[in-house]
Amino acid sequence: MKKLFFTMLLFMVAMIAAAKDFKTVVFTTTPQMHCQSCEAKIKGNLRFEKGVKNIKTDVEAQKVYITFDPKKTTEEKLQKAFEKVGYKAEKTDKDAKIPVHGDEQCENM
């Protein structure tokens, strides 16, 4: 019984140690995303940033959701990473309504 209890305790400690405290930040971009090429350009380049775990884009809502490890990077570094691929990123929240700029042209097509 003691061995089982000790094994379970070790397993729980290992699970807690393995769990990461990830954070998600939401950005909107200028110029705005227009198509799958825009999404691919952002995802394809930002995925190489240190600490990035997941990137989700939503063209309709004009938002980029980035899940990252705050021990390896910061929101500011992620924001600057957008500039490397020709976008300016502005932090927003998941419930914000972003107006779509219909007059912008997509340069990725």
Side-chain angles (χ1 to χ4, degrees):
M1 186 70 170
K2 286 183 182 180
K3 285 183 181 181
L4 179 62
F5 177 74
F6 185 69
T7 303
M8 291 296 287
L9 183 62
L10 280 175
F11 179 74
M12 289 174 57
V13 169
M15 291 297 291
I16 292 170
K20 297 281 184 173
D21 187 26
F22 296 132
K23 189 174 179 183
T24 300
V25 63
V26 183
F27 292 107
T28 186
T29 63
T30 304
Q32 291 186 326
M33 297 180 289
H34 296 91
C35 61
Q36 288 180 338
S37 294
C38 297
E39 290 178 302
K41 183 176 181 180
I42 290 170
K43 285 180 177 179
N45 289 284
L46 291 178
R47 69 186 171 109
F48 292 110
E49 290 297 316
K50 189 174 182 177
V52 171
K53 299 301 175 191
N54 188 35
I55 303 169
K56 179 184 163 217
T57 54
D58 186 343
V59 173
E60 209 172 288
Q62 290 298 315
K63 294 179 185 170
V64 179
Y65 302 82
I66 302 176
T67 302
F68 66 98
D69 184 347
K71 293 177 184 170
K72 295 183 178 180
T73 193
T74 65
E75 292 177 11
E76 292 77 21
K77 287 180 183 176
L78 294 172
Q79 194 169 13
K80 287 183 182 182
F82 279 89
E83 294 174 11
K84 295 177 188 175
V85 293
Y87 288 90
K88 180 180 175 205
E90 187 176 318
K91 187 177 171 184
T92 187
D93 71 37
K94 64 179 181 175
D95 298 321
K97 302 286 184 208
I98 309 298
V100 177
H101 302 153
D103 58 334
E104 289 183 2
Q105 296 294 318
C106 182
E107 296 176 12
N108 296 316
M109 293 184 85

